[in-house]
Amino acid sequence: MKLSPFLIFAWLCLRTTTHATTARDSLRPGEMLNNSSILTSAQKKFSLKFATIEIPNTSLNTYLVIDRANTTGNVDWIGNRNDPLAYNSCALTLNHSGALIITRHNGDSIVLYSPAEATNRTIATLLDSGNFVLKEIDGNGSTKNVLWQSFDHPEFVLLPGMKLGVNKKSGMSWLVKASISRAKPASGSFTLEWEPREGQLVIKRQGQVYWASGLLRNKRFEHIPEEVQLMYEYNIVSNEEEESFSYTTPNGVSQWVLFHNGQLKDTTRGSEIARADTCYGYNTDGGCQRWEQPTCRKKSDQRDMKKSIRVHFAAAVASLVIVITSIGIFYIILRRRKSALKDNTTRTENKMLKLVALDRYAVSKHHCEVKKRSDSRVFSYASIIAMTNRFSVENKLGEGGFGLVYKGKLPTGEDVAIKRLSKGSRQGVIEFKNELNLISQLQHMNVIQILGCCIHGEERMLIYEYMANKSLDFFLFDRTRKMLLDWKRRFNIIEGIAQGLLYLHKYSRLKVVHRDLKASNILLDENMNPKISDFGTARIFSPQESEINTERIVGTYGYMSPEYVTRGIFSIKSDVYSFGVLILEIVSGGRTNSFYSGERQCNLIGHAWELWQQGKGLELVDPTIRDSCIEDQALRCIHVGLLCAEDNAVDRPTISDIINMLTSEYAPFPLPRRPAFYSRRMPNEECRCTKGSECYSVNGLSISNVVAR
Ligand code: AMP
């Protein structure tokens, strides 16, 4: 609901005592503005006038204000908030010496500006930005100097173009000061300031930082809800002259009001920017800052105090004390209950953050408020909600082992994919941590890029670059869509995956074995370029490690190498095996597990081997691409696929050998041997495949540990 300023600030309900005669926007030397006249900016956006505020029991309630023309209550600036005037006794004058003064009948004048040297060549104009500017002009009427402007004296409102910060030359600091109460516009204790050293906005109360915006990343402050910031363009200036912050909006209409209780709102849109009123000194949500605890009183202080209490607070007020104490206790109990509830949530979230705590992430706060030392960022839950339109069905991209995947839009307009971990999935939590930890350290054009994460309560999400063409299986195994993958594209995909693997195995800072390479984990961008994704089960190898033995076998049947399935041994050669299967799938357009050829061969590798042996390799090529197929390349791919699928890991080529063989006619090509999981005659084999089903043969060895994905 868009709140009317009337409801928020009683004193914003002004009674304008003015009745415009002729509209003008400037005061010239000798001219004055009294409570029966008005200045209106050129396009009639703002007006400057005297207005009264209904403050009970006082007659001193007239103020010089700038407000929106033709509206009531939208006060943007007050010239004398701490020095109200009596009704009907005031005027604003630009005198012949260049001074801008609020005069009153019985009392001192309020000098807004007084020049060091008298000058009669001045003009004070109300601009359409809401800025009231006093300028020195030359004989032609051109501006020589800005002598004074209301934008240099923000009150409780920050308008587009107004600055927060400091002018290093003049020493003038720009800050917004909240009012003292709902009823009175006088300066209160909350201030909105720009902290140039940290590069963040802060809300302070009597010098104590209550709220901080967090750093500006990708043009957005960490602790201001993403959706609130969509409208704003921030301008940060840091040079010899000034350190400042200001903002603009596309239509220039905005009004950041700092309220008496520390809330910061854009009242033109009713949106909350900051809630310093919920910062109690111990909580850290939404940008709240912890305060230093006060030091204990000395014993002597306590003794003196007790003595004084004995003397001055006597039995006569004991009953009053009892009442106050009871109220106090009741209040404390309520507060404790509330904070216990909050602490409970915080503890759970902190536990989660600890779980995903990475070397590169120093976890400092809950609600994803993580200080980052990497490019990855932490998204607020509110921003994810906004980006995915509340996880709407229309935004759903797909579903994987991790959970549902949604499309989202960043405020910059960039599309992203958001993986939302299924709730309560223990397996998923481990994968979440692994993926975040690992993938955020990788950067290659054939490896999916992670943009950040979000943890909120039990929710855990990963945010990736968006891949417009989903995954390889979406095209490859669909009768119609596979036609879009002609030979050139397929070869390009094979090469791209090989390059991504080379990076993972050899050239990234970590030696990574993916462990679940398959068609659905190859994503395609708008140009059908492949990117390896899903690092939930990937493992980092130390430079000395060549293989790892595990009891927890994770992967997908049909892509897993024999030594991994039967003995739990995995190495870069397990990925090579999976890649071989993938190559054969890409060439043939069929799934590894759904091949069915007569009675005997029941998997893709076996089928490919049979054809190769008979010199009929090209028969493996997907019939839909036979026209576009470059035969030599296709045969080379099949040859490489079979080499990758060899039974013995040491006989399989490395990924650099593979790239050599794929791209160079002169690379040495060993002859493939009989691949794994293949036997010529299988009368006693337990090859239980039927067309379209998963099929494997492990010669009687147990694979009960396999975690199917
Ligand atoms: P996954 O959990 O990685 O297996 O993803 C499940 C499905 O969501 C994939 O098969 C894709 O269709 C889709 N998907 C995953 N990541 C992305 C992404 N970065 N861009 C577009 N679609 C994606």
mmCIF file of all heavy atoms in Angstrom, residues 370-397:
data_model
loop_
_atom_site.group_PDB
_atom_site.id
_atom_site.type_symbol
_atom_site.label_atom_id
_atom_site.label_comp_id
_atom_site.label_asym_id
_atom_site.label_seq_id
_atom_site.Cartn_x
_atom_site.Cartn_y
_atom_site.Cartn_z
ATOM 1 N N VAL A 370 26.872 -11.625 3.784
ATOM 2 C CA VAL A 370 28.200 -12.210 3.862
ATOM 3 C C VAL A 370 29.176 -11.258 3.200
ATOM 4 O O VAL A 370 28.934 -10.776 2.104
ATOM 5 C CB VAL A 370 28.206 -13.550 3.114
ATOM 6 C CG1 VAL A 370 29.572 -14.177 3.172
ATOM 7 C CG2 VAL A 370 27.186 -14.487 3.726
ATOM 8 N N LYS A 371 30.231 -10.934 3.921
ATOM 9 C CA LYS A 371 31.240 -10.079 3.307
ATOM 10 C C LYS A 371 31.968 -10.920 2.270
ATOM 11 O O LYS A 371 32.446 -12.001 2.569
ATOM 12 C CB LYS A 371 32.232 -9.605 4.368
ATOM 13 C CG LYS A 371 31.563 -8.721 5.398
ATOM 14 C CD LYS A 371 31.836 -7.272 5.096
ATOM 15 C CE LYS A 371 31.252 -6.396 6.165
ATOM 16 N NZ LYS A 371 29.982 -5.830 5.878
ATOM 17 N N LYS A 372 32.068 -10.434 1.091
ATOM 18 C CA LYS A 372 32.617 -11.256 0.026
ATOM 19 C C LYS A 372 34.008 -10.791 -0.365
ATOM 20 O O LYS A 372 34.290 -9.621 -0.368
ATOM 21 C CB LYS A 372 31.705 -11.196 -1.198
ATOM 22 C CG LYS A 372 30.329 -11.735 -0.895
ATOM 23 C CD LYS A 372 29.345 -11.259 -1.892
ATOM 24 C CE LYS A 372 29.088 -9.790 -1.694
ATOM 25 N NZ LYS A 372 28.059 -9.484 -0.790
ATOM 26 N N ARG A 373 34.806 -11.786 -0.673
ATOM 27 C CA ARG A 373 36.099 -11.448 -1.227
ATOM 28 C C ARG A 373 36.224 -12.042 -2.622
ATOM 29 O O ARG A 373 37.271 -12.226 -3.137
ATOM 30 C CB ARG A 373 37.201 -11.971 -0.298
ATOM 31 C CG ARG A 373 37.490 -11.019 0.832
ATOM 32 C CD ARG A 373 38.509 -11.600 1.762
ATOM 33 N NE ARG A 373 37.851 -12.182 2.905
ATOM 34 C CZ ARG A 373 38.213 -13.321 3.450
ATOM 35 N NH1 ARG A 373 39.194 -14.006 2.956
ATOM 36 N NH2 ARG A 373 37.588 -13.779 4.490
ATOM 37 N N SER A 374 35.128 -12.430 -3.183
ATOM 38 C CA SER A 374 35.148 -12.952 -4.548
ATOM 39 C C SER A 374 34.136 -12.160 -5.357
ATOM 40 O O SER A 374 33.483 -11.288 -4.848
ATOM 41 C CB SER A 374 34.765 -14.415 -4.552
ATOM 42 O OG SER A 374 33.379 -14.516 -4.350
ATOM 43 N N ASP A 375 34.038 -12.529 -6.637
ATOM 44 C CA ASP A 375 33.077 -11.838 -7.483
ATOM 45 C C ASP A 375 31.655 -12.289 -7.191
ATOM 46 O O ASP A 375 30.712 -11.605 -7.503
ATOM 47 C CB ASP A 375 33.386 -12.110 -8.957
ATOM 48 C CG ASP A 375 34.657 -11.409 -9.357
ATOM 49 O OD1 ASP A 375 35.018 -10.456 -8.659
ATOM 50 O OD2 ASP A 375 35.265 -11.830 -10.340
ATOM 51 N N SER A 376 31.540 -13.493 -6.625
ATOM 52 C CA SER A 376 30.205 -14.001 -6.351
ATOM 53 C C SER A 376 29.552 -13.131 -5.298
ATOM 54 O O SER A 376 30.207 -12.597 -4.430
ATOM 55 C CB SER A 376 30.271 -15.425 -5.822
ATOM 56 O OG SER A 376 31.129 -16.167 -6.606
ATOM 57 N N ARG A 377 28.247 -13.015 -5.388
ATOM 58 C CA ARG A 377 27.583 -12.186 -4.404
ATOM 59 C C ARG A 377 26.495 -12.969 -3.693
ATOM 60 O O ARG A 377 26.110 -14.052 -4.112
ATOM 61 C CB ARG A 377 27.006 -10.954 -5.075
ATOM 62 C CG ARG A 377 26.243 -11.234 -6.327
ATOM 63 C CD ARG A 377 26.042 -9.945 -7.068
ATOM 64 N NE ARG A 377 24.968 -9.226 -6.448
ATOM 65 C CZ ARG A 377 23.934 -8.742 -7.143
ATOM 66 N NH1 ARG A 377 23.877 -8.907 -8.436
ATOM 67 N NH2 ARG A 377 22.990 -8.082 -6.551
ATOM 68 N N VAL A 378 26.038 -12.390 -2.613
ATOM 69 C CA VAL A 378 24.983 -13.023 -1.860
ATOM 70 C C VAL A 378 23.711 -12.226 -2.098
ATOM 71 O O VAL A 378 23.699 -11.011 -1.928
ATOM 72 C CB VAL A 378 25.354 -13.069 -0.369
ATOM 73 C CG1 VAL A 378 24.239 -13.691 0.430
ATOM 74 C CG2 VAL A 378 26.636 -13.867 -0.202
ATOM 75 N N PHE A 379 22.697 -12.907 -2.543
ATOM 76 C CA PHE A 379 21.444 -12.242 -2.887
ATOM 77 C C PHE A 379 20.501 -12.296 -1.687
ATOM 78 O O PHE A 379 20.457 -13.296 -0.973
ATOM 79 C CB PHE A 379 20.787 -12.947 -4.073
ATOM 80 C CG PHE A 379 21.506 -12.738 -5.375
ATOM 81 C CD1 PHE A 379 22.668 -13.420 -5.668
ATOM 82 C CD2 PHE A 379 21.015 -11.851 -6.319
ATOM 83 C CE1 PHE A 379 23.333 -13.228 -6.863
ATOM 84 C CE2 PHE A 379 21.672 -11.658 -7.516
ATOM 85 C CZ PHE A 379 22.831 -12.340 -7.791
ATOM 86 N N SER A 380 19.741 -11.244 -1.500
ATOM 87 C CA SER A 380 18.752 -11.274 -0.429
ATOM 88 C C SER A 380 17.561 -12.079 -0.916
ATOM 89 O O SER A 380 17.299 -12.166 -2.123
ATOM 90 C CB SER A 380 18.319 -9.858 -0.067
ATOM 91 O OG SER A 380 17.538 -9.335 -1.117
ATOM 92 N N TYR A 381 16.856 -12.655 0.032
ATOM 93 C CA TYR A 381 15.689 -13.466 -0.320
ATOM 94 C C TYR A 381 14.665 -12.604 -1.040
ATOM 95 O O TYR A 381 14.045 -13.025 -2.018
ATOM 96 C CB TYR A 381 15.102 -14.064 0.963
ATOM 97 C CG TYR A 381 14.020 -15.069 0.699
ATOM 98 C CD1 TYR A 381 14.281 -16.244 0.005
ATOM 99 C CD2 TYR A 381 12.724 -14.859 1.157
ATOM 100 C CE1 TYR A 381 13.295 -17.174 -0.232
ATOM 101 C CE2 TYR A 381 11.723 -15.784 0.927
ATOM 102 C CZ TYR A 381 12.014 -16.940 0.228
ATOM 103 O OH TYR A 381 11.030 -17.849 -0.018
ATOM 104 N N ALA A 382 14.530 -11.371 -0.551
ATOM 105 C CA ALA A 382 13.548 -10.463 -1.179
ATOM 106 C C ALA A 382 13.883 -10.259 -2.654
ATOM 107 O O ALA A 382 12.989 -10.232 -3.509
ATOM 108 C CB ALA A 382 13.552 -9.133 -0.436
ATOM 109 N N SER A 383 15.178 -10.146 -2.953
ATOM 110 C CA SER A 383 15.535 -9.910 -4.350
ATOM 111 C C SER A 383 15.258 -11.146 -5.201
ATOM 112 O O SER A 383 14.843 -11.043 -6.346
ATOM 113 C CB SER A 383 16.999 -9.484 -4.470
ATOM 114 O OG SER A 383 17.833 -10.556 -4.159
ATOM 115 N N ILE A 384 15.452 -12.339 -4.610
ATOM 116 C CA ILE A 384 15.171 -13.576 -5.356
ATOM 117 C C ILE A 384 13.668 -13.662 -5.641
ATOM 118 O O ILE A 384 13.243 -14.011 -6.748
ATOM 119 C CB ILE A 384 15.616 -14.814 -4.538
ATOM 120 C CG1 ILE A 384 17.114 -14.753 -4.270
ATOM 121 C CG2 ILE A 384 15.208 -16.101 -5.238
ATOM 122 C CD1 ILE A 384 18.007 -15.230 -5.354
ATOM 123 N N ILE A 385 12.883 -13.308 -4.639
ATOM 124 C CA ILE A 385 11.418 -13.334 -4.796
ATOM 125 C C ILE A 385 11.030 -12.409 -5.952
ATOM 126 O O ILE A 385 10.227 -12.767 -6.816
ATOM 127 C CB ILE A 385 10.743 -12.860 -3.478
ATOM 128 C CG1 ILE A 385 10.966 -13.887 -2.384
ATOM 129 C CG2 ILE A 385 9.263 -12.576 -3.680
ATOM 130 C CD1 ILE A 385 10.137 -15.139 -2.501
ATOM 131 N N ALA A 386 11.646 -11.231 -5.953
ATOM 132 C CA ALA A 386 11.313 -10.266 -7.010
ATOM 133 C C ALA A 386 11.791 -10.789 -8.365
ATOM 134 O O ALA A 386 11.086 -10.679 -9.368
ATOM 135 C CB ALA A 386 11.954 -8.921 -6.692
ATOM 136 N N MET A 387 12.993 -11.369 -8.393
ATOM 137 C CA MET A 387 13.577 -11.811 -9.660
ATOM 138 C C MET A 387 12.813 -12.967 -10.297
ATOM 139 O O MET A 387 12.766 -13.097 -11.514
ATOM 140 C CB MET A 387 15.029 -12.249 -9.430
ATOM 141 C CG MET A 387 16.007 -11.094 -9.373
ATOM 142 S SD MET A 387 17.475 -11.477 -8.405
ATOM 143 C CE MET A 387 18.095 -12.905 -9.178
ATOM 144 N N THR A 388 12.218 -13.826 -9.453
ATOM 145 C CA THR A 388 11.547 -15.020 -9.996
ATOM 146 C C THR A 388 10.037 -14.877 -10.003
ATOM 147 O O THR A 388 9.333 -15.850 -10.246
ATOM 148 C CB THR A 388 11.893 -16.269 -9.155
ATOM 149 O OG1 THR A 388 11.497 -15.997 -7.801
ATOM 150 C CG2 THR A 388 13.351 -16.607 -9.216
ATOM 151 N N ASN A 389 9.582 -13.660 -9.710
ATOM 152 C CA ASN A 389 8.135 -13.439 -9.613
ATOM 153 C C ASN A 389 7.522 -14.464 -8.660
ATOM 154 O O ASN A 389 6.584 -15.177 -8.998
ATOM 155 C CB ASN A 389 7.510 -13.540 -11.012
ATOM 156 C CG ASN A 389 6.118 -12.965 -11.025
ATOM 157 O OD1 ASN A 389 5.715 -12.291 -10.073
ATOM 158 N ND2 ASN A 389 5.373 -13.246 -12.077
ATOM 159 N N ARG A 390 8.107 -14.535 -7.479
ATOM 160 C CA ARG A 390 7.681 -15.447 -6.414
ATOM 161 C C ARG A 390 7.725 -16.906 -6.856
ATOM 162 O O ARG A 390 6.802 -17.677 -6.626
ATOM 163 C CB ARG A 390 6.274 -15.115 -5.910
ATOM 164 C CG ARG A 390 6.152 -13.756 -5.331
ATOM 165 C CD ARG A 390 4.967 -13.584 -4.434
ATOM 166 N NE ARG A 390 5.159 -12.401 -3.610
ATOM 167 C CZ ARG A 390 5.756 -12.399 -2.431
ATOM 168 N NH1 ARG A 390 6.177 -13.517 -1.904
ATOM 169 N NH2 ARG A 390 5.944 -11.285 -1.771
ATOM 170 N N PHE A 391 8.792 -17.288 -7.525
ATOM 171 C CA PHE A 391 8.978 -18.655 -8.007
ATOM 172 C C PHE A 391 7.770 -19.113 -8.819
ATOM 173 O O PHE A 391 7.206 -20.181 -8.597
ATOM 174 C CB PHE A 391 9.230 -19.628 -6.839
ATOM 175 C CG PHE A 391 10.451 -19.300 -6.038
ATOM 176 C CD1 PHE A 391 10.366 -18.780 -4.757
ATOM 177 C CD2 PHE A 391 11.714 -19.493 -6.580
ATOM 178 C CE1 PHE A 391 11.494 -18.463 -4.025
ATOM 179 C CE2 PHE A 391 12.852 -19.194 -5.847
ATOM 180 C CZ PHE A 391 12.739 -18.673 -4.573
ATOM 181 N N SER A 392 7.365 -18.268 -9.728
ATOM 182 C CA SER A 392 6.163 -18.595 -10.505
ATOM 183 C C SER A 392 6.433 -19.757 -11.454
ATOM 184 O O SER A 392 7.574 -19.995 -11.876
ATOM 185 C CB SER A 392 5.700 -17.374 -11.292
ATOM 186 O OG SER A 392 6.606 -17.116 -12.317
ATOM 187 N N VAL A 393 5.363 -20.476 -11.771
ATOM 188 C CA VAL A 393 5.467 -21.651 -12.641
ATOM 189 C C VAL A 393 6.038 -21.246 -14.003
ATOM 190 O O VAL A 393 6.838 -21.973 -14.601
ATOM 191 C CB VAL A 393 4.070 -22.280 -12.830
ATOM 192 C CG1 VAL A 393 4.162 -23.536 -13.673
ATOM 193 C CG2 VAL A 393 3.466 -22.598 -11.485
ATOM 194 N N GLU A 394 5.635 -20.060 -14.472
ATOM 195 C CA GLU A 394 6.114 -19.603 -15.789
ATOM 196 C C GLU A 394 7.624 -19.443 -15.795
ATOM 197 O O GLU A 394 8.265 -19.512 -16.837
ATOM 198 C CB GLU A 394 5.509 -18.239 -16.185
ATOM 199 C CG GLU A 394 3.996 -18.163 -16.236
ATOM 200 C CD GLU A 394 3.397 -17.944 -14.873
ATOM 201 O OE1 GLU A 394 3.605 -16.872 -14.310
ATOM 202 O OE2 GLU A 394 2.727 -18.859 -14.359
ATOM 203 N N ASN A 395 8.196 -19.203 -14.617
ATOM 204 C CA ASN A 395 9.644 -18.988 -14.546
ATOM 205 C C ASN A 395 10.436 -20.278 -14.354
ATOM 206 O O ASN A 395 11.654 -20.252 -14.291
ATOM 207 C CB ASN A 395 9.976 -18.018 -13.406
ATOM 208 C CG ASN A 395 9.727 -16.590 -13.814
ATOM 209 O OD1 ASN A 395 8.813 -16.327 -14.579
ATOM 210 N ND2 ASN A 395 10.536 -15.668 -13.352
ATOM 211 N N LYS A 396 9.729 -21.392 -14.250
ATOM 212 C CA LYS A 396 10.427 -22.665 -14.005
ATOM 213 C C LYS A 396 11.171 -23.109 -15.264
ATOM 214 O O LYS A 396 10.597 -23.143 -16.345
ATOM 215 C CB LYS A 396 9.410 -23.720 -13.598
ATOM 216 C CG LYS A 396 10.032 -24.951 -13.024
ATOM 217 C CD LYS A 396 8.975 -25.916 -12.555
ATOM 218 C CE LYS A 396 9.433 -27.322 -12.919
ATOM 219 N NZ LYS A 396 8.427 -28.318 -12.627
ATOM 220 N N LEU A 397 12.449 -23.424 -15.097
ATOM 221 C CA LEU A 397 13.262 -23.844 -16.249
ATOM 222 C C LEU A 397 13.396 -25.357 -16.340
ATOM 223 O O LEU A 397 13.493 -25.922 -17.414
ATOM 224 C CB LEU A 397 14.671 -23.262 -16.136
ATOM 225 C CG LEU A 397 14.847 -21.785 -16.415
ATOM 226 C CD1 LEU A 397 16.271 -21.365 -16.069
ATOM 227 C CD2 LEU A 397 14.559 -21.480 -17.867
#
